[in-house]
Amino acid sequence: ARMGRTLVELFYDVISPYSWLAFEALCRYRHIWNIDLRFRPAFLGGIMQQTGNKPPAMLPKRGEYMLKDMKRMSKYYQVPLHISADAFQHIMGTNSLTAMRFITAIDMTNPQYLEPLSREFWMRFWSQHEDISQPENILAVARKAGLSEELSQKALEMVSSPTVKDRLKETTAEALKYGAFGMPAVVAHYDGEPHLFFGSDRLELLGSVIGE
């Protein structure tokens, strides 16, 4: 982190709608707060498995509440998150592993595209309700994010490489080490220690802890 700036890490997975809300809100705060924002693509499936966490919608009442909550949140944050009645089937039926490996490959080779690429994945999945797991759809997302055909193709080839697989595993393990049990996991490094905040609705608390 630059002198006197607080490093804030956002551990996220594009399958997580609340991660999108936290991502957009932090992108805005970045211009007002004295923070260095670092995006950390990780795998939500791995975090759920390692911590024994269950998808919130497994509890029907909680699922009902979440649908309303996400509608309110998207309106409040002005993020085009469109929730359909079958949103949870949509999540359960999608594996984000390839997408997150692709994002990781771009983070390792062309990090300047990390922000627009992640945003386009959320747009495609949560705004347009389109698939993000198949190679041709991943390439379509990359194209929209401004990546060249050549770059995207190279990143797609890297998806199955040990370096990319290991990097995603390491980032996920790092989130777990900080105490993450779901996404988004926001970690602020302040006063010599990491402070974990879970979810997209703890940002005022984060600001308070880091003196903003």
Side-chain angles (χ1 to χ4, degrees), residues 11-13 16 18-19 42-48 51 53-54 56 175-176 179-186 196-199:
F11 292 90
Y12 68 94
D13 186 319
S16 154
Y18 288 111
S19 288
F43 182 48
L44 179 57
I47 286 182
M48 300 295 271
T51 58
N53 195 354
K54 300 265 185 295
L176 285 161
F181 51 88
M183 297 266 189
V186 182
L196 171 74
F197 299 87
F198 170 67

Side-chain angles (χ1 to χ4, degrees), residues 63-172:
E64 270 173 45
Y65 173 78
M66 272 182 75
L67 287 175
K68 290 180 193 150
D69 186 51
M70 283 195 267
K71 276 186 183 144
R72 289 190 295 221
M73 294 283 271
S74 71
K75 192 177 170 193
Y76 178 77
Y77 281 116
Q78 299 287 297
V79 172
L81 181 63
H82 300 306
I83 297 301
S84 58
D86 62 351
F88 299 121
Q89 288 89 310
H90 192 44
I91 298 185
M92 301 306 267
T94 302
N95 189 334
S96 65
L97 187 58
T98 309
M100 293 317 295
R101 280 180 182 161
F102 184 85
I103 291 170
T104 299
I106 290 299
D107 187 24
M108 292 170 81
T109 55
N110 294 274
Q112 71 275 25
Y113 287 113
L114 184 58
E115 185 183 327
L117 180 68
S118 301
R119 184 175 283 118
E120 286 301 336
F121 268 107
W122 275 304
M123 285 295 286
R124 186 177 176 93
F125 192 73
W126 283 106
S127 211
Q128 292 139 9
H129 301 282
E130 302 268 347
D131 175 79
I132 56 164
S133 62
Q134 296 307 311
E136 63 272 22
N137 297 323
I138 288 172
L139 290 173
V141 170
R143 211 173 14 255
K144 283 207 80 169
L147 278 80
S148 72
E149 212 57 57
E150 190 189 354
L151 250 179
S152 311
Q153 224 31 80
K154 190 179 148 217
L156 197 56
E157 282 158 25
M158 288 174 70
V159 158
S160 50
S161 73
T163 33
V164 167
K165 288 179 177 178
D166 289 348
R167 165 69 81 93
L168 184 60
K169 274 186 198 144
E170 282 157 20
T171 308
T172 306

Side-chain angles (χ1 to χ4, degrees), residues 3 6 29 33 42 55 73 119 150 180 190:
M3 194 58 196
T6 302
Y29 277 121
W33 287 356
M73 294 283 271
R119 184 175 283 118
E150 190 189 354
Y190 189 73

